[in-house]
Amino acid sequence: MNPATAPRIRPNPRFRWLVPAALIFLSLVPIIAGAVRLGELSGGEIRPDNARFFDSPVPVLIHIPTVTLYLVLGAFQFVSPLRRGKRGRPSWHKVAGRILAPTGLLAALSGLWMAVFYDLPPLDGPLLLILRLVFGSAMVAFIVLGFIAVRRHNYVRHSEWMSRAYAIGIAQGTIVVVTIPWIVLVGPVTELTRALLIGASWVLSLAVAEYFIYRRAHGAEQKLRRSVQPV
Ligand code: HEM
């Protein structure tokens, strides 16, 4: 089936707003942590645990606002009625997308910048650095591929790449979901378990995105088959 012409699956309208609500809920912890860090940078005291942010504030001052905007605005890109424009006007999805692509790139690139140039804090080791380089670069690549797909009017591929990029971003919220049970059941994290839990959050978020991508493609195929069956 040509993905560009595949029929769209319409989710149950009752659940339409549940998706952005759940995604924003998942983002709350990193967003609040970011706001606290910004507050600290605008007049807090310099301590050994935050000195790296004061020494080089530019990337973190780019990172926190861009990740916040990316996660909150990005959550609404999954609402299908927002993709339809009215009376020749561009849709909400299109306008937001023009903001989100550069915002997502800045979020990932500033993260990569900090990963490479900041001194590693006590619980961050080389494994976490490698994972950040891999997933941060993948986020950049997925946004670029999503942008190329939309320029080619291949909206299915566009949605797939952008969903994968968003999954890498939202994994910052998934970290809380995987880390809290670990701490409760196993105990405090070490450098190794912290890196593995953060890596697992990225893998888990991407697996969920792949599941929805597969379900959508599979559902579209079944719908097409039913529509061409003789009556
Ligand atoms: C889009 C979702 C993301 C959110 C919500 C997010 C959130 C945050 C927050 C709140 C901080 C400040 C941490 C603190 O104050 O201690 C931070 C720092 C950082 N982020 Fe992100 N981030 C995201 C994506 C990424 C990505 C994709 C990378 C991969 C390279 C990354 C790498 C970093 C690094 C290296 C730091 C500095 C960590 C430190 O030195 O303690 N972030 N992020």
mmCIF file of all heavy atoms in Angstrom, residues 27 29-35 37 40 52-53 60 63-64 66-68 70-71 107-108 110-116 118-121 124 131-133 135-137 139 168-173 194 202, ligand 1:
data_model
loop_
_atom_site.group_PDB
_atom_site.id
_atom_site.type_symbol
_atom_site.label_atom_id
_atom_site.label_comp_id
_atom_site.label_asym_id
_atom_site.label_seq_id
_atom_site.Cartn_x
_atom_site.Cartn_y
_atom_site.Cartn_z
ATOM 1 N N SER A 27 4.945 14.591 31.206
ATOM 2 C CA SER A 27 6.028 15.588 31.091
ATOM 3 C C SER A 27 6.199 16.426 32.353
ATOM 4 O O SER A 27 7.171 17.179 32.458
ATOM 5 C CB SER A 27 5.732 16.585 29.965
ATOM 6 O OG SER A 27 5.219 15.981 28.843
ATOM 7 N N VAL A 29 6.979 16.151 35.553
ATOM 8 C CA VAL A 29 8.153 16.124 36.442
ATOM 9 C C VAL A 29 9.364 16.818 35.792
ATOM 10 O O VAL A 29 9.945 17.734 36.391
ATOM 11 C CB VAL A 29 8.467 14.694 36.934
ATOM 12 C CG1 VAL A 29 9.791 14.649 37.670
ATOM 13 C CG2 VAL A 29 7.346 14.208 37.843
ATOM 14 N N PRO A 30 9.765 16.426 34.532
ATOM 15 C CA PRO A 30 10.910 17.152 33.954
ATOM 16 C C PRO A 30 10.631 18.640 33.743
ATOM 17 O O PRO A 30 11.538 19.461 33.881
ATOM 18 C CB PRO A 30 11.167 16.436 32.615
ATOM 19 C CG PRO A 30 9.999 15.584 32.356
ATOM 20 C CD PRO A 30 9.358 15.297 33.679
ATOM 21 N N ILE A 31 9.369 19.003 33.449
ATOM 22 C CA ILE A 31 9.057 20.423 33.246
ATOM 23 C C ILE A 31 9.218 21.190 34.568
ATOM 24 O O ILE A 31 9.824 22.263 34.619
ATOM 25 C CB ILE A 31 7.636 20.592 32.649
ATOM 26 C CG1 ILE A 31 7.642 20.149 31.178
ATOM 27 C CG2 ILE A 31 7.154 22.041 32.772
ATOM 28 C CD1 ILE A 31 6.286 20.158 30.506
ATOM 29 N N ILE A 32 8.715 20.614 35.655
ATOM 30 C CA ILE A 32 8.838 21.283 36.967
ATOM 31 C C ILE A 32 10.323 21.341 37.370
ATOM 32 O O ILE A 32 10.816 22.383 37.826
ATOM 33 C CB ILE A 32 7.979 20.563 38.040
ATOM 34 C CG1 ILE A 32 6.493 20.759 37.705
ATOM 35 C CG2 ILE A 32 8.286 21.099 39.441
ATOM 36 C CD1 ILE A 32 5.535 19.890 38.481
ATOM 37 N N ALA A 33 11.050 20.233 37.132
ATOM 38 C CA ALA A 33 12.485 20.219 37.477
ATOM 39 C C ALA A 33 13.211 21.327 36.708
ATOM 40 O O ALA A 33 14.081 22.016 37.250
ATOM 41 C CB ALA A 33 13.088 18.854 37.146
ATOM 42 N N GLY A 34 12.830 21.495 35.441
ATOM 43 C CA GLY A 34 13.452 22.533 34.615
ATOM 44 C C GLY A 34 13.143 23.928 35.144
ATOM 45 O O GLY A 34 14.023 24.788 35.207
ATOM 46 N N ALA A 35 11.876 24.146 35.545
ATOM 47 C CA ALA A 35 11.481 25.458 36.061
ATOM 48 C C ALA A 35 12.253 25.769 37.350
ATOM 49 O O ALA A 35 12.717 26.899 37.565
ATOM 50 C CB ALA A 35 9.977 25.484 36.310
ATOM 51 N N ARG A 37 15.210 24.600 38.152
ATOM 52 C CA ARG A 37 16.605 24.894 37.762
ATOM 53 C C ARG A 37 16.720 26.322 37.215
ATOM 54 O O ARG A 37 17.658 27.045 37.550
ATOM 55 C CB ARG A 37 17.075 23.869 36.723
ATOM 56 C CG ARG A 37 18.503 24.013 36.316
ATOM 57 C CD ARG A 37 19.486 23.766 37.438
ATOM 58 N NE ARG A 37 19.717 22.363 37.706
ATOM 59 C CZ ARG A 37 20.294 21.893 38.821
ATOM 60 N NH1 ARG A 37 20.657 22.712 39.783
ATOM 61 N NH2 ARG A 37 20.495 20.598 38.985
ATOM 62 N N GLU A 40 16.656 28.760 40.017
ATOM 63 C CA GLU A 40 17.949 28.724 40.727
ATOM 64 C C GLU A 40 19.007 29.538 39.969
ATOM 65 O O GLU A 40 19.785 30.283 40.565
ATOM 66 C CB GLU A 40 18.373 27.262 40.803
ATOM 67 C CG GLU A 40 19.349 26.938 41.881
ATOM 68 C CD GLU A 40 19.689 25.456 41.815
ATOM 69 O OE1 GLU A 40 20.265 25.020 40.808
ATOM 70 O OE2 GLU A 40 19.364 24.759 42.773
ATOM 71 N N ARG A 52 28.150 23.633 37.257
ATOM 72 C CA ARG A 52 28.300 23.487 35.796
ATOM 73 C C ARG A 52 27.276 24.331 35.043
ATOM 74 O O ARG A 52 27.549 24.829 33.956
ATOM 75 C CB ARG A 52 28.215 22.014 35.381
ATOM 76 C CG ARG A 52 26.900 21.338 35.671
ATOM 77 C CD ARG A 52 27.005 19.829 35.528
ATOM 78 N NE ARG A 52 25.745 19.156 35.800
ATOM 79 C CZ ARG A 52 25.217 18.996 37.010
ATOM 80 N NH1 ARG A 52 25.837 19.478 38.075
ATOM 81 N NH2 ARG A 52 24.074 18.356 37.162
ATOM 82 N N PHE A 53 26.070 24.500 35.607
ATOM 83 C CA PHE A 53 25.034 25.299 34.941
ATOM 84 C C PHE A 53 25.387 26.788 34.998
ATOM 85 O O PHE A 53 25.118 27.528 34.060
ATOM 86 C CB PHE A 53 23.666 25.057 35.585
ATOM 87 C CG PHE A 53 23.196 23.632 35.458
ATOM 88 C CD1 PHE A 53 23.103 22.803 36.563
ATOM 89 C CD2 PHE A 53 22.858 23.106 34.211
ATOM 90 C CE1 PHE A 53 22.673 21.490 36.446
ATOM 91 C CE2 PHE A 53 22.428 21.788 34.084
ATOM 92 C CZ PHE A 53 22.334 20.978 35.201
ATOM 93 N N VAL A 60 21.818 25.369 28.889
ATOM 94 C CA VAL A 60 20.699 24.995 29.768
ATOM 95 C C VAL A 60 19.569 26.034 29.632
ATOM 96 O O VAL A 60 18.384 25.692 29.718
ATOM 97 C CB VAL A 60 21.168 24.764 31.232
ATOM 98 C CG1 VAL A 60 21.503 26.045 31.956
ATOM 99 C CG2 VAL A 60 20.139 23.968 32.009
ATOM 100 N N HIS A 63 17.966 24.828 26.562
ATOM 101 C CA HIS A 63 17.396 23.483 26.717
ATOM 102 C C HIS A 63 16.055 23.493 27.458
ATOM 103 O O HIS A 63 15.070 22.942 26.954
ATOM 104 C CB HIS A 63 18.412 22.620 27.474
ATOM 105 C CG HIS A 63 18.121 21.155 27.453
ATOM 106 N ND1 HIS A 63 18.154 20.397 26.304
ATOM 107 C CD2 HIS A 63 17.808 20.278 28.461
ATOM 108 C CE1 HIS A 63 17.880 19.135 26.587
ATOM 109 N NE2 HIS A 63 17.669 19.040 27.893
ATOM 110 N N ILE A 64 16.000 24.138 28.603
ATOM 111 C CA ILE A 64 14.797 24.005 29.446
ATOM 112 C C ILE A 64 13.558 24.628 28.768
ATOM 113 O O ILE A 64 12.528 23.958 28.645
ATOM 114 C CB ILE A 64 15.054 24.517 30.880
ATOM 115 C CG1 ILE A 64 16.064 23.557 31.544
ATOM 116 C CG2 ILE A 64 13.759 24.570 31.689
ATOM 117 C CD1 ILE A 64 16.556 23.985 32.899
ATOM 118 N N THR A 66 13.047 25.123 25.556
ATOM 119 C CA THR A 66 12.697 24.398 24.326
ATOM 120 C C THR A 66 12.104 23.015 24.626
ATOM 121 O O THR A 66 11.132 22.624 23.987
ATOM 122 C CB THR A 66 13.906 24.275 23.356
ATOM 123 O OG1 THR A 66 15.032 23.757 24.063
ATOM 124 C CG2 THR A 66 14.260 25.596 22.710
ATOM 125 N N VAL A 67 12.662 22.302 25.609
ATOM 126 C CA VAL A 67 12.080 20.983 25.923
ATOM 127 C C VAL A 67 10.653 21.152 26.448
ATOM 128 O O VAL A 67 9.764 20.361 26.134
ATOM 129 C CB VAL A 67 12.937 20.134 26.917
ATOM 130 C CG1 VAL A 67 14.275 19.787 26.319
ATOM 131 C CG2 VAL A 67 13.087 20.780 28.264
ATOM 132 N N THR A 68 10.434 22.220 27.239
ATOM 133 C CA THR A 68 9.094 22.445 27.809
ATOM 134 C C THR A 68 8.089 22.707 26.683
ATOM 135 O O THR A 68 7.023 22.081 26.618
ATOM 136 C CB THR A 68 9.140 23.634 28.793
ATOM 137 O OG1 THR A 68 10.136 23.350 29.781
ATOM 138 C CG2 THR A 68 7.805 23.864 29.467
ATOM 139 N N TYR A 70 8.414 22.005 23.515
ATOM 140 C CA TYR A 70 8.336 20.832 22.631
ATOM 141 C C TYR A 70 7.376 19.781 23.201
ATOM 142 O O TYR A 70 6.525 19.257 22.490
ATOM 143 C CB TYR A 70 9.740 20.244 22.447
ATOM 144 C CG TYR A 70 9.792 19.076 21.494
ATOM 145 C CD1 TYR A 70 9.671 19.275 20.124
ATOM 146 C CD2 TYR A 70 9.976 17.775 21.960
ATOM 147 C CE1 TYR A 70 9.718 18.196 19.246
ATOM 148 C CE2 TYR A 70 10.027 16.705 21.088
ATOM 149 C CZ TYR A 70 9.896 16.917 19.737
ATOM 150 O OH TYR A 70 9.941 15.852 18.863
ATOM 151 N N LEU A 71 7.500 19.498 24.494
ATOM 152 C CA LEU A 71 6.661 18.453 25.081
ATOM 153 C C LEU A 71 5.202 18.886 25.173
ATOM 154 O O LEU A 71 4.290 18.110 24.878
ATOM 155 C CB LEU A 71 7.185 18.039 26.464
ATOM 156 C CG LEU A 71 8.510 17.277 26.469
ATOM 157 C CD1 LEU A 71 8.856 16.819 27.870
ATOM 158 C CD2 LEU A 71 8.482 16.066 25.531
ATOM 159 N N ALA A 107 16.176 21.725 21.302
ATOM 160 C CA ALA A 107 16.123 20.939 22.548
ATOM 161 C C ALA A 107 17.172 19.822 22.503
ATOM 162 O O ALA A 107 17.955 19.644 23.440
ATOM 163 C CB ALA A 107 14.723 20.345 22.732
ATOM 164 N N ALA A 108 17.191 19.073 21.387
ATOM 165 C CA ALA A 108 18.117 17.938 21.288
ATOM 166 C C ALA A 108 19.567 18.424 21.161
ATOM 167 O O ALA A 108 20.469 17.878 21.812
ATOM 168 C CB ALA A 108 17.737 17.067 20.100
ATOM 169 N N SER A 110 20.912 21.271 22.188
ATOM 170 C CA SER A 110 21.434 21.833 23.443
ATOM 171 C C SER A 110 21.718 20.713 24.448
ATOM 172 O O SER A 110 22.681 20.795 25.225
ATOM 173 C CB SER A 110 20.469 22.875 24.023
ATOM 174 O OG SER A 110 19.185 22.311 24.164
ATOM 175 N N GLY A 111 20.880 19.645 24.407
ATOM 176 C CA GLY A 111 21.134 18.469 25.262
ATOM 177 C C GLY A 111 22.463 17.819 24.900
ATOM 178 O O GLY A 111 23.262 17.464 25.771
ATOM 179 N N LEU A 112 22.704 17.695 23.579
ATOM 180 C CA LEU A 112 23.968 17.091 23.123
ATOM 181 C C LEU A 112 25.154 17.967 23.534
ATOM 182 O O LEU A 112 26.202 17.471 23.961
ATOM 183 C CB LEU A 112 23.941 16.934 21.598
ATOM 184 C CG LEU A 112 23.055 15.796 21.066
ATOM 185 C CD1 LEU A 112 22.849 15.907 19.567
ATOM 186 C CD2 LEU A 112 23.664 14.437 21.414
ATOM 187 N N TRP A 113 24.970 19.263 23.431
ATOM 188 C CA TRP A 113 26.013 20.227 23.809
ATOM 189 C C TRP A 113 26.395 20.027 25.285
ATOM 190 O O TRP A 113 27.574 19.897 25.638
ATOM 191 C CB TRP A 113 25.459 21.627 23.549
ATOM 192 C CG TRP A 113 26.323 22.810 23.845
ATOM 193 C CD1 TRP A 113 27.577 22.816 24.393
ATOM 194 C CD2 TRP A 113 25.977 24.178 23.607
ATOM 195 N NE1 TRP A 113 28.017 24.109 24.512
ATOM 196 C CE2 TRP A 113 27.069 24.963 24.038
ATOM 197 C CE3 TRP A 113 24.858 24.827 23.099
ATOM 198 C CZ2 TRP A 113 27.057 26.358 23.965
ATOM 199 C CZ3 TRP A 113 24.861 26.209 23.020
ATOM 200 C CH2 TRP A 113 25.935 26.963 23.434
ATOM 201 N N MET A 114 25.354 19.954 26.153
ATOM 202 C CA MET A 114 25.645 19.775 27.587
ATOM 203 C C MET A 114 26.289 18.411 27.850
ATOM 204 O O MET A 114 27.205 18.296 28.665
ATOM 205 C CB MET A 114 24.357 19.914 28.407
ATOM 206 C CG MET A 114 23.840 21.327 28.440
ATOM 207 S SD MET A 114 22.459 21.507 29.566
ATOM 208 C CE MET A 114 21.165 20.710 28.668
ATOM 209 N N ALA A 115 25.781 17.380 27.123
ATOM 210 C CA ALA A 115 26.326 16.024 27.324
ATOM 211 C C ALA A 115 27.828 16.014 27.032
ATOM 212 O O ALA A 115 28.614 15.412 27.755
ATOM 213 C CB ALA A 115 25.594 15.034 26.422
ATOM 214 N N VAL A 116 28.229 16.723 25.978
ATOM 215 C CA VAL A 116 29.636 16.690 25.561
ATOM 216 C C VAL A 116 30.501 17.620 26.420
ATOM 217 O O VAL A 116 31.601 17.248 26.823
ATOM 218 C CB VAL A 116 29.750 17.057 24.052
ATOM 219 C CG1 VAL A 116 31.200 17.171 23.627
ATOM 220 C CG2 VAL A 116 29.022 16.023 23.193
ATOM 221 N N TYR A 118 29.659 19.609 29.427
ATOM 222 C CA TYR A 118 29.549 19.781 30.886
ATOM 223 C C TYR A 118 30.375 18.706 31.584
ATOM 224 O O TYR A 118 30.468 17.570 31.101
ATOM 225 C CB TYR A 118 28.090 19.632 31.344
ATOM 226 C CG TYR A 118 27.244 20.888 31.255
ATOM 227 C CD1 TYR A 118 27.707 22.050 30.649
ATOM 228 C CD2 TYR A 118 25.958 20.905 31.791
ATOM 229 C CE1 TYR A 118 26.911 23.183 30.578
ATOM 230 C CE2 TYR A 118 25.151 22.041 31.724
ATOM 231 C CZ TYR A 118 25.640 23.177 31.108
ATOM 232 O OH TYR A 118 24.870 24.283 31.045
ATOM 233 N N ASP A 119 30.908 19.065 32.763
ATOM 234 C CA ASP A 119 31.566 18.045 33.596
ATOM 235 C C ASP A 119 30.492 17.054 34.031
ATOM 236 O O ASP A 119 29.362 17.451 34.339
ATOM 237 C CB ASP A 119 32.159 18.688 34.866
ATOM 238 C CG ASP A 119 33.342 19.583 34.521
ATOM 239 O OD1 ASP A 119 33.931 19.383 33.441
ATOM 240 O OD2 ASP A 119 33.642 20.497 35.321
ATOM 241 N N LEU A 120 30.845 15.778 34.071
ATOM 242 C CA LEU A 120 29.852 14.775 34.472
ATOM 243 C C LEU A 120 29.589 14.869 35.970
ATOM 244 O O LEU A 120 30.520 14.790 36.768
ATOM 245 C CB LEU A 120 30.353 13.367 34.133
ATOM 246 C CG LEU A 120 30.356 12.965 32.650
ATOM 247 C CD1 LEU A 120 30.932 11.563 32.482
ATOM 248 C CD2 LEU A 120 28.957 13.027 32.064
ATOM 249 N N PRO A 121 28.313 15.033 36.381
ATOM 250 C CA PRO A 121 28.020 15.002 37.823
ATOM 251 C C PRO A 121 28.225 13.585 38.391
ATOM 252 O O PRO A 121 28.322 12.625 37.610
ATOM 253 C CB PRO A 121 26.545 15.435 37.882
ATOM 254 C CG PRO A 121 26.016 15.344 36.510
ATOM 255 C CD PRO A 121 27.151 15.309 35.545
ATOM 256 N N ASP A 124 26.515 10.468 36.864
ATOM 257 C CA ASP A 124 26.508 10.331 35.394
ATOM 258 C C ASP A 124 27.851 9.780 34.930
ATOM 259 O O ASP A 124 28.888 10.395 35.165
ATOM 260 C CB ASP A 124 26.293 11.697 34.714
ATOM 261 C CG ASP A 124 24.886 12.228 34.903
ATOM 262 O OD1 ASP A 124 24.131 11.647 35.703
ATOM 263 O OD2 ASP A 124 24.547 13.226 34.244
ATOM 264 N N LEU A 131 24.669 6.914 25.745
ATOM 265 C CA LEU A 131 23.224 6.820 25.483
ATOM 266 C C LEU A 131 22.667 8.173 25.068
ATOM 267 O O LEU A 131 21.857 8.277 24.154
ATOM 268 C CB LEU A 131 22.489 6.311 26.731
ATOM 269 C CG LEU A 131 22.715 4.845 27.100
ATOM 270 C CD1 LEU A 131 22.113 4.533 28.462
ATOM 271 C CD2 LEU A 131 22.101 3.931 26.042
ATOM 272 N N ARG A 132 23.118 9.250 25.752
ATOM 273 C CA ARG A 132 22.636 10.593 25.397
ATOM 274 C C ARG A 132 23.053 10.956 23.974
ATOM 275 O O ARG A 132 22.289 11.563 23.231
ATOM 276 C CB ARG A 132 23.163 11.622 26.395
ATOM 277 C CG ARG A 132 22.360 11.640 27.677
ATOM 278 C CD ARG A 132 22.931 12.641 28.658
ATOM 279 N NE ARG A 132 22.038 12.822 29.799
ATOM 280 C CZ ARG A 132 22.447 13.172 30.998
ATOM 281 N NH1 ARG A 132 23.737 13.375 31.235
ATOM 282 N NH2 ARG A 132 21.581 13.339 31.978
ATOM 283 N N LEU A 133 24.299 10.569 23.613
ATOM 284 C CA LEU A 133 24.771 10.878 22.254
ATOM 285 C C LEU A 133 23.932 10.113 21.224
ATOM 286 O O LEU A 133 23.542 10.678 20.200
ATOM 287 C CB LEU A 133 26.258 10.539 22.101
ATOM 288 C CG LEU A 133 27.224 11.367 22.952
ATOM 289 C CD1 LEU A 133 28.668 10.983 22.677
ATOM 290 C CD2 LEU A 133 27.038 12.860 22.716
ATOM 291 N N PHE A 135 20.735 8.698 21.562
ATOM 292 C CA PHE A 135 19.321 9.068 21.475
ATOM 293 C C PHE A 135 19.138 10.548 21.123
ATOM 294 O O PHE A 135 18.190 10.900 20.420
ATOM 295 C CB PHE A 135 18.582 8.688 22.764
ATOM 296 C CG PHE A 135 18.389 7.201 22.883
ATOM 297 C CD1 PHE A 135 19.245 6.425 23.645
ATOM 298 C CD2 PHE A 135 17.376 6.567 22.182
ATOM 299 C CE1 PHE A 135 19.083 5.044 23.734
ATOM 300 C CE2 PHE A 135 17.201 5.184 22.261
ATOM 301 C CZ PHE A 135 18.064 4.431 23.042
ATOM 302 N N GLY A 136 20.049 11.417 21.592
ATOM 303 C CA GLY A 136 19.974 12.843 21.221
ATOM 304 C C GLY A 136 20.170 13.007 19.720
ATOM 305 O O GLY A 136 19.430 13.746 19.054
ATOM 306 N N SER A 137 21.146 12.266 19.144
ATOM 307 C CA SER A 137 21.384 12.347 17.689
ATOM 308 C C SER A 137 20.202 11.749 16.932
ATOM 309 O O SER A 137 19.806 12.264 15.887
ATOM 310 C CB SER A 137 22.648 11.580 17.297
ATOM 311 O OG SER A 137 23.715 11.973 18.102
ATOM 312 N N MET A 139 17.130 11.799 17.874
ATOM 313 C CA MET A 139 16.023 12.775 17.898
ATOM 314 C C MET A 139 16.218 13.819 16.798
ATOM 315 O O MET A 139 15.283 14.162 16.081
ATOM 316 C CB MET A 139 15.961 13.435 19.283
ATOM 317 C CG MET A 139 14.786 14.377 19.454
ATOM 318 S SD MET A 139 14.626 14.848 21.202
ATOM 319 C CE MET A 139 13.622 16.314 21.066
ATOM 320 N N ILE A 168 11.376 10.115 21.971
ATOM 321 C CA ILE A 168 12.686 10.321 22.624
ATOM 322 C C ILE A 168 12.570 11.457 23.646
ATOM 323 O O ILE A 168 13.119 11.381 24.738
ATOM 324 C CB ILE A 168 13.773 10.602 21.559
ATOM 325 C CG1 ILE A 168 13.990 9.328 20.724
ATOM 326 C CG2 ILE A 168 15.083 11.048 22.225
ATOM 327 C CD1 ILE A 168 15.056 9.443 19.656
ATOM 328 N N GLY A 169 11.806 12.496 23.289
ATOM 329 C CA GLY A 169 11.623 13.614 24.224
ATOM 330 C C GLY A 169 10.829 13.199 25.451
ATOM 331 O O GLY A 169 11.247 13.446 26.588
ATOM 332 N N ILE A 170 9.707 12.531 25.233
ATOM 333 C CA ILE A 170 8.814 12.200 26.355
ATOM 334 C C ILE A 170 9.459 11.171 27.293
ATOM 335 O O ILE A 170 9.045 11.013 28.446
ATOM 336 C CB ILE A 170 7.434 11.699 25.831
ATOM 337 C CG1 ILE A 170 6.334 11.818 26.909
ATOM 338 C CG2 ILE A 170 7.488 10.259 25.343
ATOM 339 C CD1 ILE A 170 5.894 13.189 27.188
ATOM 340 N N ALA A 171 10.506 10.506 26.817
ATOM 341 C CA ALA A 171 11.202 9.532 27.666
ATOM 342 C C ALA A 171 11.731 10.191 28.941
ATOM 343 O O ALA A 171 11.950 9.513 29.951
ATOM 344 C CB ALA A 171 12.342 8.883 26.895
ATOM 345 N N GLN A 172 11.921 11.522 28.908
ATOM 346 C CA GLN A 172 12.368 12.196 30.130
ATOM 347 C C GLN A 172 11.320 12.076 31.233
ATOM 348 O O GLN A 172 11.636 12.122 32.415
ATOM 349 C CB GLN A 172 12.663 13.687 29.846
ATOM 350 C CG GLN A 172 13.725 13.917 28.785
ATOM 351 C CD GLN A 172 15.044 13.256 29.127
ATOM 352 O OE1 GLN A 172 15.550 13.415 30.227
ATOM 353 N NE2 GLN A 172 15.586 12.497 28.194
ATOM 354 N N GLY A 173 10.045 11.950 30.817
ATOM 355 C CA GLY A 173 8.963 11.711 31.784
ATOM 356 C C GLY A 173 8.882 10.235 32.154
ATOM 357 O O GLY A 173 8.612 9.888 33.305
ATOM 358 N N ARG A 194 21.395 3.808 36.992
ATOM 359 C CA ARG A 194 20.795 5.061 36.512
ATOM 360 C C ARG A 194 20.872 5.123 34.992
ATOM 361 O O ARG A 194 19.892 5.404 34.316
ATOM 362 C CB ARG A 194 21.538 6.249 37.151
ATOM 363 C CG ARG A 194 20.989 7.593 36.737
ATOM 364 C CD ARG A 194 21.619 8.694 37.584
ATOM 365 N NE ARG A 194 22.016 9.856 36.790
ATOM 366 C CZ ARG A 194 21.180 10.781 36.388
ATOM 367 N NH1 ARG A 194 19.896 10.695 36.685
ATOM 368 N NH2 ARG A 194 21.599 11.811 35.666
ATOM 369 N N TRP A 202 14.119 5.363 27.229
ATOM 370 C CA TRP A 202 14.133 5.706 25.807
ATOM 371 C C TRP A 202 13.620 4.541 24.975
ATOM 372 O O TRP A 202 12.792 4.714 24.084
ATOM 373 C CB TRP A 202 15.549 6.112 25.373
ATOM 374 C CG TRP A 202 15.816 7.584 25.492
ATOM 375 C CD1 TRP A 202 14.979 8.592 25.100
ATOM 376 C CD2 TRP A 202 16.988 8.225 26.023
ATOM 377 N NE1 TRP A 202 15.559 9.816 25.353
ATOM 378 C CE2 TRP A 202 16.791 9.622 25.922
ATOM 379 C CE3 TRP A 202 18.175 7.765 26.564
ATOM 380 C CZ2 TRP A 202 17.737 10.561 26.326
ATOM 381 C CZ3 TRP A 202 19.122 8.700 26.977
ATOM 382 C CH2 TRP A 202 18.913 10.078 26.859
HETATM 383 C C1 HEM B 1 12.622 16.771 25.211
HETATM 384 C C2 HEM B 1 12.725 16.218 26.386
HETATM 385 C C3 HEM B 1 13.720 16.635 27.426
HETATM 386 C C4 HEM B 1 13.422 17.151 28.644
HETATM 387 C C5 HEM B 1 12.045 17.418 29.204
HETATM 388 C C6 HEM B 1 14.674 17.429 29.308
HETATM 389 C C7 HEM B 1 14.774 17.997 30.555
HETATM 390 C C8 HEM B 1 15.933 18.435 31.117
HETATM 391 C C9 HEM B 1 16.047 19.191 32.325
HETATM 392 C C10 HEM B 1 14.879 19.657 33.175
HETATM 393 C C11 HEM B 1 17.356 19.407 32.563
HETATM 394 C C12 HEM B 1 17.986 20.144 33.750
HETATM 395 C C13 HEM B 1 18.420 19.095 34.732
HETATM 396 C C14 HEM B 1 18.856 19.674 36.033
HETATM 397 O O1 HEM B 1 18.462 20.782 36.359
HETATM 398 O O2 HEM B 1 19.595 18.989 36.768
HETATM 399 C C15 HEM B 1 18.085 18.758 31.505
HETATM 400 C C16 HEM B 1 19.458 18.700 31.432
HETATM 401 C C17 HEM B 1 20.135 17.951 30.491
HETATM 402 N N1 HEM B 1 19.602 17.301 29.414
HETATM 403 FE FE1 HEM B 1 17.672 17.243 28.911
HETATM 404 N N2 HEM B 1 15.694 17.054 28.498
HETATM 405 C C18 HEM B 1 15.166 16.560 27.329
HETATM 406 C C19 HEM B 1 15.851 16.045 26.252
HETATM 407 C C20 HEM B 1 17.199 15.767 26.267
HETATM 408 C C21 HEM B 1 17.886 14.997 25.275
HETATM 409 C C22 HEM B 1 17.262 14.344 24.031
HETATM 410 C C23 HEM B 1 19.178 14.930 25.655
HETATM 411 C C24 HEM B 1 20.235 14.170 24.932
HETATM 412 C C25 HEM B 1 21.363 14.609 24.621
HETATM 413 C C26 HEM B 1 19.312 15.687 26.895
HETATM 414 C C27 HEM B 1 20.476 15.869 27.614
HETATM 415 C C28 HEM B 1 20.601 16.654 28.751
HETATM 416 C C29 HEM B 1 21.865 16.899 29.445
HETATM 417 C C30 HEM B 1 23.230 16.337 29.068
HETATM 418 C C31 HEM B 1 21.563 17.717 30.521
HETATM 419 C C32 HEM B 1 22.547 18.235 31.607
HETATM 420 C C33 HEM B 1 22.520 17.185 32.708
HETATM 421 C C34 HEM B 1 23.423 17.537 33.862
HETATM 422 O O3 HEM B 1 24.549 18.002 33.650
HETATM 423 O O4 HEM B 1 22.987 17.270 34.993
HETATM 424 N N3 HEM B 1 18.088 16.170 27.243
HETATM 425 N N4 HEM B 1 17.203 18.184 30.639
#
